[in-house]
Amino acid sequence: METVTITMKNPPQLYLEADNVTPDKFAGKSASQIAELHVYEGNTTSTLGKYFEVAGSAGATAADTKIVVKGDVSKVKYLGMKMSAGELVIEGSADQYVGAWMSGGKLLVKGNVDAFAATGMKGGELTIEGNAGNYLGAAYRGDWRGMSGGKILVKGNAGSDVGMYMLGGEIVVNGNIDVHVMTHAEGGKVIIKGNAKSKLGGQLVDGTIIVFGTIDVMMPGYKPVGEAELEIDGVKAKFAHFIGDTGERKKKRKGQVIYGNLYKKL
Amino acid sequence: MTKTMTDVVCPFCGTLCDDLEVSLSDDGKQILEVYNACVIGTEKFLHSQAKDRVTRPRMRQEDGSWKEVSYDEAVEYTAKILANAKKPLMYGWSSTNCEAQSVGHEIAEMCGACVDNTAAVCHGTTLIAVQDIGIPSCTLGEIKNRADRIIFWGCNPAHAHPRHMSRYSIYPRGFFTGKGHKSRKIVVVDPRVTDTASLADIHLQVEQGRDYELLNALRVALNNEWLPDVVAGIPQEKIREVAEVCKSGRFGIIFFGMGVTQSLSKNHNIDEAIALTKHLNEFTKFSIMPMRGHYNVTGSGEVLAWQFGFPYSVDLSRGFARYNPGDTSTIDLLLRGEVDAMLTIASDPGAHFPISAVKQIAKIPSVAIDPHLTPTTGVSKLHVPVAFVGVEVGGNAYRMDNVPIDTRKVVDPPAGMLTDEEFLTKVRDRVKQLKGVK
Ligand code: SF4
C-alpha cells in the first residue's frame, strides 16, 4: 500500500469543500497530479495544492492507497466522501460530511467530526476517536435512505439525529448521545454505551437500539415486553426489552407484525 | 370629501386579510383611517405615514456616523460587495413581493450566493418535515366552510394572527358550519394558558419540549396500543379522549406555530404532526397547516422552490442549488463564519438572531434594505430605505395556505424613493456588468 500525505499549509478564509480527497480520486496519481485536483472555497474553484502540501504518491488502485491528512482541517468539508476502498486517516478534527456516502475502506479520524458524517453510508468502517456531531449515519436532507451498511465507532459522544432513516449497518457510541436516535429507521442497529436523553426510536419502523446507561424520557410508543439477555462485545448482560414504535406503520412477515426493539441495560 | 379604497390587502401577517378599507385624504396622498384590519395591521399602514421616515440611503462612516448617499451610490456598493464575495448571503425576503424576490434570485445566481428567508428561524423546520413526508393540507376557505375540529398546537393566533379566528378558524359561519363557533370543537395544545387556550374546549397543557411524545401518544391511541399512564404531563385517558374527539369530527385541521417548530425536536414535531394527520385520515378527513408569520414568507418559499427547487436555505455557491439546513442555513452560515458579505431585505435578523450571529453581520460588508430603521439597519454598513410593499407599491404575495393574492398600492411613496424591485433591478444590472454577463 502506498501512502500520500497532505498537510494543510494555507488554511481557507471561509470553508473548503474537498470532496476529491479519497483513495478513489488519488489512485494512480503522482503528488503533482494530486495537487491539481479541484477544491472549492465558496464560489471559487482552485486546486488542492493551493491549500495543502502533497507528499508521497498513490497506489495503482484505491485499495492500494492510503491518505494521511495532517494539519488543521477543522474548516474542511467532505473529506473521504464516496470513498470505496483504501484508507484515510485524518490526524485532527474535520468539519461536516466526513465519509458521506462511503461504501468501503477504512476511515479514521483522530479528533472530532462535525455534522453529517457518514451521511448515507453504504459500507466500510468509520472510526471517530473524538466526538461526532449531529446526523451521524443519517440520510441526506429529504432523502429516505440513511446508512445502509458498514460500521461506525465513536469513542466520544454523539450529537442528535444519529441514524435518522437508517436502513442497515451498525453504529456504536462509547459515550453519551443527544436526542432523536434512529428516527424513521427501517433497519440497522445503534449501540449506546453511555447515556441517552429522549426521543429514541420515534417513528421507527424497524431496527434495534441498545442503551447501557440511562434514558431520560422514553417514547410512549415503546411497550415493555419483559427482559432479555444479550451478549455485546463479548459481555453478557440483562436488558429491559421494549417494542415499538407502536404509533408508526409496521411491516408484516408471515402474518406477524414486525416491531423495532429497544433494550435498556438493567 | 375623503376617498375610500376597498378590498385592500393587509401586508402584515400570513393571514393576508383582503377585505380592508382605507380612507384617504382628498388628494389621495394621505392615509386617514384603516377599517376592518386588526390593531397590528392598522399600525403597519399608519406607520408608513410617519413624518420622520428615512427616505434616502445612508452609509456608515469610519467614525460610526451615517452619511446620506444617492441610490446610485447604494447600488454600486451593493453590487460590488455581492460580486466580489466568495460566498455572499442574501437573507430575508418575507415582507416583500414575489416580483422583488425573483429579481433577487437572479443576483444570487450570478454571484453564487446563499439565499435564505425568515423560515430559517420560524417554519423552516416545517419545510424540512414536508420534504420528508409530504403534507395533507387545504385552503383557509375549506376550513371556514367545513372544519368542525380545530386544533391549535403551539400557536397563539389571538395575538399573532388576530383575525384568523374570526375569519376562518373559530367563529365564522360557513357552508357546512352554519352554527359558527358552536359547530366546532377547539383543542389547544400549549404549555401556557394563552388567550387562545382560554377559548378552547380542551386545553392540553403539554410539558415544555414534549410535543413529540404527545403527538406520538395520539398515534399510539389511534392504534389502540398500550400507553404509559402519563405522557408529556397529560394522563393517558385524556389523550385517548382527544383521539376520539378528532376521529368523531367530519373535517379536522391542525394549525401549528413556533411553539412546536422552534422547540426541542423541531422538524420532528412537525413530521410526527403530519404523520398524525395522515393517520387520522384513516378515520375521517383531516388537514394540517402552518401558521406562517410574515405576510409573504410563504411566497418566498414558493418563488425559491419554483426557481431552485428548495423553499429556503438554498446554497448556489457551486453553481447548482444545494439545500441542507445545518449547513446552508443562515444562522449556521453566520455562526460558523462561512459567508463574507450579507444583504438583508424585508426582515430584521438583528432583532431575532442570536447575538453572536448579529455580531458576525457587523464584521462583514453588509447592506440592509428596509423601509424602517431596525436593529439590522443599525449593524449594517449601508441602509437602503424603500417603499412599503402593499401600501406604496402592489405585487404578489402568498397567504399561509399557499393562495396567491395581489396586494394593492394605496398611496405613493415619498418622492424619489425606490421600491425593493426597482432597487434590486438596478443592482442586478450592475452585477451583470461586473461579472461580464450578457
Ligand atoms: S390578521 Fe394579519 S393580515 Fe389580517 S389584518 Fe391583522 S395583521 Fe393584517
Side-chain angles (χ1 to χ4, degrees):
Chain A
M1 185 174 264
E2 305 269 342
T3 302
V4 183
T5 305
I6 64 168
T7 309
M8 176 65 82
K9 56 170 191 201
N10 185 17
Q13 178 207 344
L14 303 174
Y15 280 67
L16 205 62
E17 296 182 14
D19 35 292
N20 284 328
V21 178
T22 61
D24 305 74
K25 290 282 166 64
F26 282 17
K29 293 193 173 69
S30 66
S32 59
Q33 285 170 320
I34 290 168
E36 288 303 310
L37 288 170
H38 283 164
V39 290
Y40 310 88
E41 186 178 354
N43 54 23
T44 314
T45 304
S46 51
T47 61
L48 199 61
K50 184 184 158 198
Y51 300 89
F52 291 91
E53 196 176 285
V54 184
S57 62
T61 64
D64 295 328
T65 302
K66 176 176 175 177
I67 304 172
V68 179
V69 181
K70 290 180 189 278
D72 181 4
V73 289
S74 58
K75 287 171 113 188
V76 181
K77 302 182 190 185
Y78 295 107
L79 289 168
M81 172 169 143
K82 294 189 179 168
M83 68 181 273
S84 70
E87 276 185 56
L88 173 61
V89 177
I90 301 167
E91 301 222 316
S93 294
D95 195 48
Q96 301 177 336
Y97 305 106
V98 169
W101 297 284
M102 71 183 278
S103 57
K106 282 188 185 162
L107 206 170
L108 168 67
V109 184
K110 296 196 173 166
N112 306 324
V113 296
D114 209 303
F116 311 115
T119 288
M121 176 172 176
K122 297 192 180 87
E125 278 174 46
L126 169 63
T127 305
I128 296 151
E129 296 197 337
N131 301 325
N134 302 338
Y135 289 98
L136 175 72
Y140 191 71
R141 194 67 72 192
D143 199 344
W144 61 96
R145 293 158 299 190
M147 176 178 183
S148 57
K151 233 189 130 171
I152 301 175
L153 170 63
V154 180
K155 295 195 177 166
N157 303 323
S160 64
D161 291 294
V162 170
M164 186 174 178
Y165 280 111
M166 195 167 170
L167 299 170
E170 186 178 300
I171 302 177
V172 179
V173 178
N174 284 352
N176 303 328
I177 199 161
D178 208 333
V179 293
H180 287 288
V181 181
M182 288 185 88
T183 310
H184 282 298
E186 301 217 14
K189 190 193 276 183
V190 174
I191 300 171
I192 302 146
K193 301 271 176 81
N195 299 328
K197 288 184 172 165
S198 59
K199 335 247 180 198
L200 285 86
Q203 297 168 280
L204 175 142
V205 176
D206 196 3
T208 304
I209 302 175
I210 301 170
V211 183
F212 281 77
T214 55
I215 299 175
D216 292 349
V217 181
M218 282 286 291
M219 284 298 293
Y222 280 77
K223 176 168 144 185
V225 290
E227 291 177 10
E229 194 174 77
L230 301 180
E231 187 180 326
I232 290 150
D233 294 341
V235 185
K236 268 195 193 154
K238 274 205 163 163
F239 289 80
H241 183 199
F242 302 83
I243 57 168
D245 171 351
T246 57
E248 186 53 54
R249 81 188 152 84
K250 284 282 157 281
K251 292 182 198 161
K252 275 190 176 167
R253 205 175 295 140
K254 290 184 187 146
Q256 284 297 98
V257 180
I258 310 296
Y259 291 98
N261 294 290
L262 195 159
Y263 300 95
K264 189 191 161 301
K265 189 164 177 274
L266 289 167
Chain B
M1 258 300 285
T2 56
K3 283 194 276 188
T4 302
M5 212 172 148
T6 56
D7 303 318
V8 173
V9 179
C10 172
F12 191 82
C13 85
T15 314
L16 212 58
C17 295
D18 53 1
D19 60 346
L20 272 47
E21 295 188 0
V22 178
S23 73
L24 301 170
S25 59
D26 291 345
D27 56 5
K29 285 188 173 152
Q30 193 66 30
I31 297 176
L32 302 176
E33 298 279 357
V34 181
Y35 301 101
N36 297 346
C38 67
V39 188
I40 45 181
T42 305
E43 201 43 47
K44 172 105 188 209
F45 281 92
L46 297 181
H47 200 89
S48 68
Q49 306 290 299
K51 293 276 175 288
D52 56 353
R53 198 168 142 189
V54 178
T55 56
R56 289 292 176 276
R58 302 169 317 142
M59 184 85 84
R60 185 195 291 279
Q61 304 300 300
E62 293 279 313
D63 63 359
S65 65
W66 293 93
K67 181 182 157 216
E68 188 177 307
V69 294
S70 67
Y71 273 112
D72 286 343
E73 287 170 280
V75 167
E76 186 67 19
Y77 176 83
T78 308
K80 279 210 170 121
I81 66 164
L82 294 175
N84 293 338
K86 281 188 178 143
K87 198 164 180 173
L89 170 60
M90 299 174 74
Y91 174 82
W93 309 107
S94 302
S95 294
T96 188
N97 54 27
C98 295
E99 290 83 349
Q101 292 160 358
S102 183
V103 177
H105 299 172
E106 285 185 61
I107 301 171
E109 206 170 342
M110 285 189 284
C111 296
C114 294
V115 198
D116 204 356
N117 58 42
T118 57
V121 286
C122 184
H123 275 285
T125 54
T126 304
L127 301 167
I128 293 175
V130 170
Q131 192 191 16
D132 278 338
I133 67 165
I135 187 165
S137 199
C138 61
T139 62
L140 289 167
E142 284 180 270
I143 292 158
K144 170 187 171 184
N145 286 307
R146 296 175 185 275
D148 59 352
R149 295 292 181 269
I150 316 282
I151 302 178
F152 292 108
W153 201 305
C155 57
N156 187 11
H159 290 277
H161 301 84
R163 297 185 69 217
H164 189 277
M165 298 182 302
S166 59
R167 295 195 75 202
Y168 303 112
S169 48
I170 299 187
Y171 300 112
R173 293 166 194 268
F175 201 79
F176 300 109
T177 50
K179 293 205 183 99
H181 190 181
K182 287 206 194 80
S183 337
R184 303 185 172 95
K185 271 217 169 11
I186 315 294
V187 179
V188 172
V189 188
D190 202 308
R192 301 164 306 158
V193 187
T194 59
D195 286 335
T196 307
S198 65
L199 299 169
D201 296 295
I202 301 175
H203 176 204
L204 298 178
Q205 230 173 327
V206 60
E207 254 174 59
Q208 194 100 43
R210 296 282 160 233
D211 300 273
Y212 188 68
E213 282 82 353
L214 185 55
L215 286 158
N216 183 238
L218 283 164
R219 295 186 67 198
V220 174
L222 291 180
N223 283 348
N224 283 320
E225 289 276 3
W226 174 91
L227 272 177
D229 294 341
V230 178
V231 177
I234 315 289
Q236 66 135 320
E237 299 76 32
K238 194 82 199 167
I239 294 168
R240 292 192 195 275
E241 180 195 326
V242 171
E244 284 310 313
V245 167
C246 292
K247 276 161 70 175
S248 64
R250 282 180 292 126
F251 186 115
I253 173 81
I254 302 174
F255 290 110
F256 62 95
M258 283 175 60
V260 268
T261 64
Q262 292 300 325
S263 63
L264 187 60
S265 286
K266 297 191 169 186
N267 55 308
H268 300 289
N269 287 332
I270 313 314
D271 193 317
E272 188 70 322
I274 294 171
L276 171 65
T277 310
K278 286 184 177 173
H279 211 142
L280 280 163
N281 275 289
E282 290 173 19
F283 305 94
T284 181
K285 170 77 186 160
F286 241 86
S287 280
I288 179 164
M289 190 183 296
M291 297 284 267
R292 305 303 298 267
H294 291 73
Y295 74 91
N296 198 25
V297 62
T298 310
S300 172
E302 291 283 341
V303 179
L304 274 172
W306 150 49
Q307 295 181 334
F308 302 128
F310 305 106
Y312 82 114
S313 293
V314 178
D315 177 353
L316 300 165
S317 60
R318 296 259 306 253
F320 52 94
R322 287 185 293 181
Y323 163 80
N324 189 11
D327 175 11
T328 64
S329 38
T330 293
I331 293 191
D332 300 280
L333 290 169
L334 286 170
L335 290 180
R336 287 160 50 83
E338 285 216 47
V339 287
D340 54 353
M342 181 160 177
L343 173 140
T344 305
I345 180 166
S347 74
D348 188 10
H352 300 115
F353 281 12
I355 186 73
S356 38
V358 179
K359 280 189 181 150
Q360 192 63 28
I361 302 177
K363 273 192 211 153
I364 55 182
S366 50
V367 45
I369 305 171
D370 201 304
H372 305 272
L373 288 175
T374 66
T376 308
T377 63
V379 297
S380 300
K381 310 283 179 302
L382 172 68
H383 171 209
V384 183
V386 279
F388 278 89
V389 176
V391 181
E392 296 163 343
V393 57
N396 200 245
Y398 279 73
R399 203 166 65 183
M400 62 166 73
D401 54 353
N402 293 308
V403 171
I405 294 177
D406 261 323
T407 65
R408 300 187 65 183
K409 175 176 172 168
V410 181
V411 287
D412 284 325
M417 274 191 92
L418 297 184
T419 65
D420 289 313
E421 188 187 356
E422 287 165 348
F423 181 74
L424 289 172
T425 303
K426 284 174 185 278
V427 172
R428 178 199 63 193
D429 294 344
R430 183 67 184 119
V431 167
K432 267 189 187 164
Q433 287 175 345
L434 291 169
K435 292 268 182 194
V437 177
K438 288 277 165 339

